[in-house]
Amino acid sequence: MTTSPGPVLAAGANLDFTLAQQLTVIALCALTAFISHMALAVFNDGVRPFMLDFIQGRSTRSATTAVSFGLSAGFIFGLGAPMALSSGVLNPWLLFLPTDILGILSPKKWLAPILGGAWGAVVVFGLSGANNLAHDLPVDFLTAMQEMSTPILFLFTLFPVLAITKQFGRKWGGIAGVVELALVVMTMKLWPTVFAGAIAMAVGVLMLIGLAINKDLKQRKVDRANKTEEADEGEELAPADDPMASLFSASAARLRKYLPLFMVLGAGICLLAQMHVFGGGEATSFLIAKGNYSEAAQVDFYRVFGFIPLIATTALASGAYGIAGFTLVYPIGYLMPNPILAAVVGALVFAVEVLALSYIGKFLGKLPSVRDSSEHLRSAISDALQLAILFGSLMAANAMGAGLGILIVGGLYLLNEAMGRPVVRMAAAPAAVIVGGIVLNILYWLDLFTPIKG
């Protein structure tokens, strides 16, 4: 991938799918809706904690559906759809958040896969039509939205620095920042065809994990010394009582009972990733669109570290797993040489994940700093992407409408903030670009605005 700024995407953002790709998307959406209906897994991490009450009958289907819709709608229409239209690559917010809702909403088991499959059909057939229609408008706001790719790709590189600063302070954050900057400059100079942030992110994540493990090892040494001292003084230690142990054990057993179904799910997601019409994250979507599959795999692999503790603990506490598991199937899928191998490996990865859930929960309990690192990573990713998406959205606004475009898009974003964020912050700016593009087209038809190009 060239590191020079520019909106040119290899995929052409055309959202045209082959028959095999269409069938895979439809079948996978049907499957994820069915699994959501069974309360076995949901994609939205915020919905998962509510699933325990639903599974145990303390919450109704309609109430859980309302929670899922409320937590997902902004990401579907404000982030998932705009990212797919601007990059030409599908994403999990567009595919799996709606099937979360439809699966939980469905009153019958047989109806859930039909609703999910119907949503998949809407995506693969309807989105292409909407994409073609938007590109034919006088103000082509979808092409302008490709301006978002450069800030997203480059600012995403900084997430390990932010995580290190939050967890280990300014000194280590400053060191990590200098190291990453040097590596980005070196990569751009020595390997101009490689994504500039690739090596920097790898080093940053390794620094964070190394610092966390070092802190945990030191703390365990202190704890052992204290226990020895207490034992020498004759104090008897009461056995630790873990009230969550039985709940975790029951949840893990529930998920293991449906292992074959999870293996089919893992096969489907890995297969979709192998087809290179799907990206697991914001930055990944643009890397896939540019044909940089190894860099996309690298980016999504780092994200896994930020989500394993969250997904493992919420799955064990609620009895509902993540639709994409630990998301390891994303990077693996990008790199698989053929669909059959992708499906087999995806199934095996999900099997290992589900069988290892309880062990991962126990392991994380012994390394609290590593567990905390995942929270800082997620927070850092969110901070970096919020700025990148906002900045990229303003660049898109400038590309399609210069000062007037910035006024409309920036104004809508600020209005959303002032109104208490009815649209989640991450999705507000891309949604504002689409609304701004529609407004500029209306102004053009009223002869009140002249497009910058054409």
Side-chain angles (χ1 to χ4, degrees):
M1 173 191 126
T2 59
T3 54
S4 61
V8 179
L9 302 180
N14 53 19
L15 283 168
D16 290 331
F17 303 100
T18 65
L19 179 61
Q21 292 165 348
Q22 291 169 346
L23 292 176
T24 301
V25 171
I26 292 170
L28 187 57
C29 285
L31 177 62
T32 53
F34 178 73
I35 288 175
S36 171
H37 174 85
M38 298 277 288
L40 291 172
V42 289
F43 180 77
N44 194 321
D45 295 323
V47 174
R48 204 169 301 118
F50 293 91
M51 297 305 288
L52 180 62
D53 285 344
F54 177 62
I55 292 168
Q56 296 183 344
R58 295 195 296 267
S59 177
T60 64
R61 186 171 291 281
S62 58
T64 310
T65 302
V67 169
S68 180
F69 181 82
L71 293 175
S72 303
F75 286 102
I76 297 169
F77 301 109
L79 185 63
M83 289 295 293
L85 289 168
S86 59
S87 66
V89 173
L90 301 177
N91 56 68
W93 307 287
L94 184 64
L95 294 184
F96 304 143
L97 289 179
T99 57
D100 276 3
I101 300 169
L102 293 170
I104 299 172
L105 172 69
S106 174
K108 301 293 182 183
K109 189 182 293 186
W110 58 266
L111 184 58
I114 294 176
L115 293 176
W119 174 253
V122 167
V123 170
V124 294
F125 296 115
L127 209 60
S128 179
N131 182 64
N132 295 334
L133 176 65
H135 280 302
D136 291 336
L137 292 173
V139 179
D140 182 1
F141 56 88
L142 294 186
T143 298
M145 288 184 75
Q146 294 177 9
E147 295 281 345
M148 295 169 62
S149 65
T150 300
I152 287 176
L153 289 174
F154 277 79
L155 286 176
F156 188 79
T157 304
L158 287 175
F159 80 87
V161 176
L162 302 182
I164 290 171
T165 306
K166 288 182 177 187
Q167 188 169 7
F168 297 104
R170 286 177 288 184
K171 184 184 81 173
W172 281 110
I175 293 171
V178 171
V179 170
E180 279 213 8
L181 179 61
L183 289 171
V184 168
V185 173
M186 184 181 75
T187 305
M188 294 176 74
K189 184 69 177 177
L190 299 179
W191 304 287
T193 58
V194 175
F195 172 43
I199 299 174
M201 279 191 290
V203 172
V205 171
L206 288 175
M207 280 184 67
L208 176 65
I209 294 174
L211 288 168
I213 291 176
N214 183 55
K215 183 178 179 181
D216 280 335
L217 291 177
K218 287 181 177 177
Q219 185 59 47
R220 291 180 69 177
K221 189 175 180 181
V222 171
D223 291 343
R224 279 198 298 269
N226 290 338
K227 286 181 181 178
T228 303
E229 186 177 337
E230 289 171 355
D232 291 343
E233 291 173 356
E235 297 180 10
E236 292 188 3
L237 298 175
D241 185 21
D242 186 359
M244 298 297 289
S246 59
L247 176 62
F248 279 22
S249 177
S251 296
R254 178 176 187 265
L255 295 175
R256 284 198 299 270
K257 182 180 174 184
Y258 294 94
L259 184 63
L261 191 58
F262 280 114
M263 292 178 69
V264 175
L265 177 63
I269 295 177
C270 199
L271 173 63
L272 183 64
Q274 193 278 334
M275 291 177 165
H276 300 149
V277 294
F278 174 88
E282 299 87 345
T284 316
S285 294
F286 290 107
L287 288 169
I288 292 290
K290 294 184 178 185
N292 297 104
Y293 308 130
S294 58
E295 284 86 351
Q298 186 185 13
V299 168
D300 270 355
F301 179 72
Y302 298 146
R303 289 172 65 102
V304 170
F305 291 104
F307 287 89
I308 283 181
L310 173 70
I311 293 170
T313 52
T314 55
L316 290 170
S318 69
Y321 196 39
I323 280 291
F326 293 142
T327 70
L328 264 174
V329 286
Y330 295 163
I332 291 172
Y334 304 149
L335 300 176
M336 284 291 107
N338 63 68
I340 295 175
L341 189 59
V344 172
V345 173
L348 293 175
V349 168
F350 254 57
V352 171
E353 288 183 7
V354 172
L355 292 174
L357 259 180
S358 57
Y359 299 104
I360 293 172
K362 292 175 184 176
F363 174 76
L364 291 173
K366 295 177 181 177
L367 294 173
S369 294
V370 174
R371 189 180 60 226
D372 292 344
S373 292
S374 74
E375 296 179 8
H376 291 295
L377 273 176
R378 288 198 311 278
S379 174
I381 288 172
S382 178
D383 290 345
L385 287 177
Q386 280 179 6
L387 176 62
I389 290 174
L390 175 59
F391 188 57
S393 296
L394 291 175
M395 289 173 66
N398 183 58
M400 67 182 182
L404 182 59
I406 293 175
L407 173 66
I408 296 173
V409 173
L412 287 172
Y413 179 85
L414 291 174
L415 186 62
N416 183 66
E417 289 286 307
M419 292 170 65
R421 296 179 198 148
V423 179
V424 291
R425 178 178 278 173
M426 186 82 81
V433 174
I434 291 181
V435 174
I438 294 171
V439 170
L440 289 174
N441 277 291
I442 293 173
L443 292 176
Y444 168 79
W445 287 319
L446 295 174
D447 202 22
L448 295 174
F449 173 71
T450 302
I452 294 177
K453 294 181 180 179

